[in-house]
Amino acid sequence: MPTGTQIDNPTVQLISTLSRVFRNVPNGSVVVAASDVLVSLPDDTVIESFTNSESESDHSQTTVLGIGVPSPLATACNHGVFVVPPALTPTHANLGRRKQIMAIQDVHTFLQKPSVEDMEQTCDPCCVFDASGERSAWVDTGVVAFFPAASQTLRDLANGILSCCTKRGLDTLYFNLYHTNHNHNHNSDTDTNASELPSSPPPSMEQFASEYGIRLELYSHLMLALSTAGATTSSSCQSSLRDLYIAKHKGDMDPSILGQVFDVIHQYQLRVCVVPSAQFIHLGTTQELLEFLIYGSRRHLRDDDNNDTTTSSTYRPNEGTAMMDKNQMRCTQFGRKIGLVRRSHTFLSGDIATNGHTVILNSQLRVMGKAENAPPNSIGTGTVIEHVDVTVYKGLTIGTNCLISGLRGLFQGRVVIPDGMCIHMIPLKETASTNTQRIESEQRQRYVLICLAVKDPIKACSTLYSLPFHQVLEKSRMNVDDVWEKSIPPNKRQLWNAKIHPIVELPNKDEQLILDFLEWINYLCNSNLISTTKAVAKDWEWVSKCALIPKLSLSQIGAMADATTEHSYRHTLMTERIPLSIETHEQEMEHLILNRLHLPCDFSNVVDAYMNGNEEVLRSSLKIIDGIVMKTTKNGLFDIAGRCFMLMSSLFVDIANSLSAGHDANNLDLHFTTEFNSAIEVVRSTIDDDNVEKERACSTFLVMRDNALFRDDESLASAQQLLQSAEYMELVAHVMTELCVSGGVDPVVERCEGFSTNNNGETTEWVLSTAPARIDLSGGWSDTPPISFEHGGAVSSLAVTVDDRKPFSCRCRFVKGAPMVTMKTESRDPNDGTLLYSTESQCCTTADFSNYRNPNADCALIKCALLCLGLMPLNDVNAEDPRELKPYLHEFCNSKGTVGLEIISTSLLPRGSGMGGSSILAACIVSAIANCVGIKLFDNEDGENKQQLVIQAILRVEQLLTTGGGWQDQIGGIFGGLKLGTSDAHVIPLRTRVKEFHLPPEIEIELNNRLTLVFTGRPRLAKNILQNVLRRWARRSPEIVETVKELVQGAKETTESAQSGDLDRLGMCLGRYWEQKKKMAGKDSGVEPVVVEQVLSKLRNEREIDGGTLCGAGGGGFLALLARKGRNSGDLQTWIESHKGLFHADVNLFSWHKCAVCNEGLATQTVTANNSDSFDIRWHNVTS
């Protein structure tokens, strides 16, 4: 059992409790306890002190003592029950004393496994009382103390009439019968009496013990022979009790021996100490053990006692039983008292999905891969894993409510364990043998693999693997003679003595463990035994293999199990193998990060260790990451350093999530924030050729992190502190990404040849740049830094008009007057250009630009565009040091006089459209400003480098804005029509290439007819989704790495489909692309609103569409649909409108829009407007 940082078993816990409670009993006493129970007694509880010599003498000579605790009748009927005077019930017990002294009391009657009716009917005194709202009785805990006189009597019995109950007695009898007689025959000169001696070979000790041994049970034979206060002391009554005792047990041993046992034991009186506040947990069945570990264990040592309330709503191993809630409460209270946790000494690698209701202790599970189309690696809820050491190469799926113990070895195939299974792998002694086959162990250790369902009744044979037993036999082509020894009569045949547990070999280090038998069980559990009970041809191979495997019964395993080997294995696993795996894992993490490998960085073991109080595992992992940060920053490898900071952020968030904390990183310490921001600006600075200052800044980050997380008082960080640290580490990661995008240098601004600003007055001429929207057809997310330069990206996109207009524009002009920049962002109606809302900002000093990194600040996008184009060095933007804007504007505008700028950006689409609005609008802003002031952005060549400068500028704008966008949006809007954008891995600064494709007119016409845009009425949630994706990418989750690879491949296939006119295939690509987007966002990300899932599913099923996807990151915005051949946008709208009752109410928010391919990309022209309020919707028309 995992208790804090230690792993104990129930026996250790019980011995610890009893050693404390019985510390005052007389020397020579013997305390016996059942090993399948746990007893929780108040910490200050002791047996009443034997300070009085008279009472000590009385107790020592006459008493056998039990301990009773209150338990519900449903529990009591499976145990012994003490009937005591009513004054001792919990209602009357004095629980207010600080020290609970357990007074020794007489037992009126002792009942052995009474029925509920028997207990209810027992009165004078009553057996039943109310405790905590339940009908209860005093249950025998299985703890019995034989004081010195009684314990000596037991020894006398063991040396006398009950000697055949002991190993020593059987050994002596065996030696006397066979070895003495053998020597006598060998040395005798005569044959006198030789015929009376055994002539056949001596039997094995097991056979001898079976024939001559006497089975004596403490709770049946000894407890029931003790006298009680309620028994009449007359000789006739004693004789009657003696006769009843012999009659009850006459099948167990010779009646004369039973009589002698009764006579000797009956002279002692059974007494009891009842403890009203004690708790009793019986662990006699696998089901009881599972419930106790799952209900009784906290997620971690730091879990609030009142915070873990989700178990009852998610884990129901005994669904439907009336005792569920009460049992759960008892297990929870008991487990918390002894400090049970759900993780201890564990190491998991390979992206294994678990949840809070899985217990894993002293185990390591490594999954090296996953079979194609196999489900994710997972361990089901309510499952307990203990002492397991496995490496699996093709996936691992363990069902719910399982107990997996001792499984070890290398598995080349996929391991699947059905729900509700108990799998226990136990080593066998080298001399172990069955009746049919000898188990040799010359080179390889052999094991028995106990395979049962948790709920299979071992004292019956009704089910096996939770399936009808006879059907399992029939399906496996086995008969009863294959399962039971012929000597076992039919009425004694049980799972207990059924030979159904296979013997397996543990191969050499590099060989795999064959689990054909487990595969067969899995097949049985997933096949329909009712409809087909005979093995068919395809099953025969498994049936044949399994039939040849030697098997053991539970009754045989006990004597054949190698406890020494198992103990050594468990100890070595805990103290050597798991620590070595953790150390090796850390080295592997360092290697794969430094070598830019796309392999998982799994820190789940760090989270588990930290949650259970082991801070050193976190410190050790951070030390390795810190070393990588300092080394790579010094060498200018900012992509690697950035990944390290993002990994730290992800790790801290995982720990905080384990604490069930909300993502609230507000109320940050101001001094910490100021110091942090100063170091951030040092990293961003372009004046640091040898990166010495950046290295020092990174050291500052790490020191501040440690100060926040690791305290002098050794207390662990709170969830809030972890989340704050995560936010800071993530911001540093974004800054490292900025350096990779920009190359760590300021943009080089090139002036158009011969350009100068001669107009010193206000002008009515505006430079206007317009751009279409884009629909991402496939490959999105692969363009997002750092994915785009760590893995390499490819995105297929289509430039489109929405309702016959290019949705984005920006206009810029010079103005006369004070040297300032007047900025405005506006949203207008796409039909007539009516202004819907706007924001404005006027900047007169450098300090007015200081909020440019806040995406929510007014006109922040325009400010970033100006800074990107070189209005002023970033180092001059300081809220604490405002400077006049005049000299900066004079140089920026290349002006001969005082001049200002007015810049207005316009969008005809709602915010959060998912159609590239922010980036494409940034392209319009950059283009309009550059053309207005004479900055060269466009290459004259028409090759791959065409408009490369503006793409790079927009990437830098988004990094300055801290939105972290990719390059697909600007490429989608800058270039008209169909195009494929790509970026190469490990090329820093990030560089992109664009290949444009001309669609034949007939294909374009059909595409325009079938392509439909639907605004869902909800904005998309790119920011939150982006954060989750980048954290998962930093960890290189296998799913996300594989999905990125598929996205890049899909972009190329999608482009080919559109170019060739195979629009049906294009629709299939769109549908697959949407599934890939959902994988990238992750489960429960909200990327797919309910109404979108319903609409896509229904339209596909009704064959109204060939495919569809939400544009951009998802979560809302525009839905792009490709109608099937012969259908169009109007048909889809009509179908949805006529079937609204099938969908979520949000379908009423849908608005339908015309969509068409736009072959004109970013375009710039000069327009005339008298003032800033003037607007002409025709500016957004396609000009070519």
Side-chain angles (χ1 to χ4, degrees), residues 486-507:
K486 293 181 179 179
S487 59
I488 300 176
N491 64 334
K492 297 290 185 178
R493 291 172 180 169
Q494 306 169 340
L495 293 186
W496 171 253
N497 50 32
K499 295 183 295 181
I500 54 177
H501 306 290
I503 296 170
V504 296
E505 287 185 345
L506 189 63

Side-chain angles (χ1 to χ4, degrees), residues 854-866:
N854 179 6
N856 297 318
D858 291 343
C859 303
L861 187 62
I862 298 176
K863 292 177 182 179
C864 288
L866 286 165

Side-chain angles (χ1 to χ4, degrees), residues 467-468 471-472 474-475 520-536 538-539:
L467 302 170
Q471 291 182 353
V472 174
E474 198 169 353
K475 184 76 172 179
W520 175 244
I521 293 174
N522 186 61
Y523 173 76
L524 290 175
C525 292
N526 288 281
S527 62
N528 188 348
L529 297 185
I530 297 177
S531 61
T532 170
T533 57
K534 293 185 179 293
V536 293
K538 68 176 182 179
D539 306 331

Side-chain angles (χ1 to χ4, degrees), residues 349-353 366-379 391-398 411-416 599-600 1032 1036-1043 1045-1046 1079:
S349 68
D351 202 26
I352 304 172
R366 297 174 295 269
V367 182
M368 313 305 291
K370 187 166 70 72
E372 187 175 356
N373 299 322
N377 303 314
S378 63
I379 301 175
T391 301
V392 183
Y393 278 88
K394 291 189 178 179
L396 173 71
T397 302
I398 299 177
F411 305 94
Q412 294 288 354
R414 179 168 171 250
V415 174
V416 179
L599 296 174
R1032 294 174 68 217
R1036 297 302 193 272
S1037 160
E1039 180 185 46
I1040 206 167
V1041 171
E1042 183 62 29
T1043 304
K1045 186 186 301 183
E1046 293 171 357
K1079 285 184 181 179

Side-chain angles (χ1 to χ4, degrees), residues 629-821:
V629 165
M630 301 305 293
K631 181 190 301 184
T632 55
T633 301
K634 180 178 181 179
N635 295 325
L637 304 175
F638 302 125
D639 58 326
I640 299 176
R643 183 183 180 187
C644 288
F645 280 107
M646 187 60 80
L647 281 171
M648 286 187 276
S649 172
S650 178
L651 174 58
F652 299 155
V653 169
D654 287 345
I655 296 175
N657 285 341
S658 296
L659 287 168
S660 296
H663 290 258
D664 181 11
N666 298 319
N667 303 317
L668 304 182
D669 181 77
L670 182 60
H671 175 73
F672 185 82
T673 303
T674 302
E675 183 182 6
F676 178 85
N677 287 338
S678 298
I680 279 288
E681 293 309 317
V682 170
V683 176
R684 283 190 171 122
S685 173
T686 58
I687 311 172
D688 185 16
D689 293 337
D690 56 4
N691 299 317
V692 172
E693 295 302 319
K694 289 182 173 62
E695 187 181 4
R696 289 175 182 166
C698 287
S699 178
T700 299
F701 298 142
L702 302 178
V703 170
M704 288 191 293
R705 177 207 66 196
D706 289 347
N707 290 339
L709 296 183
F710 306 117
R711 305 303 184 85
D712 293 337
D713 60 2
E714 299 184 356
S715 62
L716 301 179
S718 68
Q720 179 74 2
Q721 291 160 339
L722 286 159
L723 289 171
Q724 290 175 358
S725 297
E727 291 289 331
Y728 285 123
M729 296 300 101
E730 190 163 318
L731 181 53
V732 180
H734 290 325
V735 173
M736 293 294 181
T737 298
E738 286 181 32
L739 295 176
C740 294
V741 171
S742 66
V745 296
D746 285 329
V748 177
V749 178
E750 183 179 352
R751 291 287 174 181
C752 296
E753 187 175 348
F755 180 89
S756 66
T757 303
N758 297 314
N759 191 334
N760 295 323
E762 188 167 347
T763 177
T764 59
E765 288 190 348
W766 298 74
V767 176
L768 173 71
S769 292
T770 60
R774 69 95 185 93
I775 296 176
D776 51 318
L777 302 177
S778 188
W781 286 119
S782 72
D783 67 300
T784 304
I787 301 174
S788 54
F789 58 75
E790 289 180 338
H791 178 277
V795 179
S796 174
S797 61
L798 190 68
V800 295
T801 58
V802 180
D803 296 327
D804 296 323
R805 304 193 193 280
K806 296 168 72 174
F808 307 111
S809 75
C810 179
R811 56 194 189 274
C812 178
R813 70 170 179 171
F814 296 113
V815 294
K816 129 175 146 170
M820 67 175 66
V821 179

Side-chain angles (χ1 to χ4, degrees), residues 808-957:
F808 307 111
S809 75
C810 179
R811 56 194 189 274
C812 178
R813 70 170 179 171
F814 296 113
V815 294
K816 129 175 146 170
M820 67 175 66
V821 179
T822 302
M823 294 169 274
K824 183 178 181 180
T825 64
E826 55 185 28
S827 176
R828 292 184 177 272
D829 186 283
N831 296 312
D832 57 14
T834 301
L835 182 65
L836 301 178
Y837 63 86
S838 65
T839 61
E840 297 186 31
S841 178
Q842 282 191 340
C843 295
C844 301
T845 69
T846 57
D848 294 331
F849 282 81
S850 61
N851 62 350
Y852 70 92
R853 291 194 185 276
N854 179 6
N856 297 318
D858 291 343
C859 303
L861 187 62
I862 298 176
K863 292 177 182 179
C864 288
L866 286 165
L867 293 173
C868 176
L869 289 172
L871 173 62
M872 70 188 79
L874 294 181
N875 292 337
D876 289 355
V877 182
N878 189 340
E880 306 299 326
D881 182 21
R883 304 178 189 178
E884 287 188 2
L885 210 55
K886 181 177 180 178
Y888 297 99
L889 276 172
H890 185 275
E891 181 177 355
F892 182 70
C893 296
N894 197 21
S895 173
K896 295 180 179 180
T898 302
V899 68
L901 286 175
E902 184 173 8
I903 307 165
I904 303 173
S905 66
T906 304
S907 174
L908 303 183
L909 297 182
R911 292 191 66 179
S913 67
M915 300 191 71
S918 176
S919 296
I920 299 176
L921 199 56
C924 293
I925 296 169
V926 168
S927 175
I929 296 172
N931 279 276
C932 185
V933 301
I935 294 175
K936 182 180 178 181
L937 283 179
F938 308 102
D939 293 340
N940 294 324
E941 300 177 0
D942 291 331
E944 289 187 350
N945 291 326
K946 181 183 178 183
Q947 298 193 347
Q948 181 65 236
L949 292 177
V950 72
I951 296 171
Q952 292 300 122
I954 307 313
L955 275 171
R956 181 158 174 78
V957 166

Side-chain angles (χ1 to χ4, degrees), residues 934-1104:
I935 294 175
K936 182 180 178 181
L937 283 179
F938 308 102
D939 293 340
N940 294 324
E941 300 177 0
D942 291 331
E944 289 187 350
N945 291 326
K946 181 183 178 183
Q947 298 193 347
Q948 181 65 236
L949 292 177
V950 72
I951 296 171
Q952 292 300 122
I954 307 313
L955 275 171
R956 181 158 174 78
V957 166
E958 295 212 317
Q959 295 302 318
L960 291 177
L961 193 61
T962 71
T963 52
W967 46 253
Q968 66 143 316
D969 294 343
Q970 53 266 39
I971 286 179
I974 291 173
F975 297 88
L978 176 69
K979 80 285 300 182
L980 177 67
T982 58
S983 62
D984 293 330
H986 311 312
V987 175
I988 298 174
L990 173 67
R991 288 293 178 265
T992 59
R993 295 188 302 275
V994 183
K995 188 173 183 179
E996 298 176 82
F997 299 90
H998 177 70
L999 293 176
E1002 65 276 9
I1003 294 176
E1004 184 175 320
I1005 291 172
E1006 183 182 358
L1007 184 57
N1008 289 341
N1009 190 46
R1010 294 171 59 178
L1011 195 59
T1012 303
L1013 278 179
V1014 186
F1015 184 61
T1016 61
R1018 305 287 188 190
R1020 60 93 177 96
L1021 306 172
K1023 176 69 174 178
N1024 293 337
I1025 297 174
L1026 173 65
Q1027 186 180 54
N1028 186 38
V1029 168
L1030 294 185
R1031 285 172 179 167
R1032 294 174 68 217
W1033 172 252
R1035 292 196 299 261
R1036 297 302 193 272
S1037 160
E1039 180 185 46
I1040 206 167
V1041 171
E1042 183 62 29
T1043 304
V1044 169
K1045 186 186 301 183
E1046 293 171 357
L1047 285 166
V1048 172
Q1049 295 170 347
K1052 299 171 183 177
E1053 180 185 353
T1054 302
T1055 305
E1056 293 171 1
S1057 301
Q1059 184 189 18
S1060 65
D1062 189 349
L1063 301 189
D1064 296 344
R1065 183 181 171 201
L1066 175 62
M1068 180 191 70
C1069 292
L1070 280 177
R1072 184 175 59 202
Y1073 178 39
W1074 177 236
E1075 295 303 316
Q1076 292 165 348
K1077 284 187 182 181
K1078 292 191 291 184
K1079 285 184 181 179
M1080 291 294 290
K1083 186 179 179 182
D1084 301 325
S1085 64
V1087 68
E1088 184 175 51
V1090 173
V1091 68
V1092 172
E1093 187 277 328
Q1094 292 173 341
V1095 166
L1096 287 174
S1097 176
K1098 197 65 178 176
L1099 291 177
R1100 279 194 304 264
N1101 293 339
E1102 296 294 329
R1103 300 198 60 206
E1104 292 290 328

